[in-house]
Amino acid sequence: MNMAVVGMVAGMALGFAGYFGGFGAFVLVAALGAIGFIAGRFLEGDLEPGDFFRGRERGDRRR
């Protein structure tokens, strides 16, 4: 499926949730969508758990 179509469907779902359920439903749908997106990336092999828990390299300092 084209990414533009996926984005349109996600936007429509958020719009319906916001219109019929209010702001709380909008936030809930957005959060569950983000969780589903991350889970899908894990299942496809695009992300690995170590990507979130990796320590910084010695030369990579943030101030």
Side-chain angles (χ1 to χ4, degrees):
M1 188 180 293
N2 189 354
M3 290 304 290
V5 174
V6 172
M8 182 187 68
V9 170
M12 289 174 61
L14 288 171
F16 280 120
Y19 183 76
F20 292 110
F23 184 72
F26 174 82
V27 172
L28 179 65
V29 169
L32 291 176
I35 291 169
F37 175 76
I38 291 172
R41 296 290 252 184
F42 275 122
L43 292 175
E44 287 180 354
D46 292 338
L47 287 177
E48 295 184 17
D51 292 342
F52 293 107
F53 303 112
R54 219 175 261 151
R56 291 188 197 149
E57 297 294 327
R58 187 170 180 103
D60 184 28
R61 280 193 176 191
R62 291 189 179 169
R63 295 177 189 187

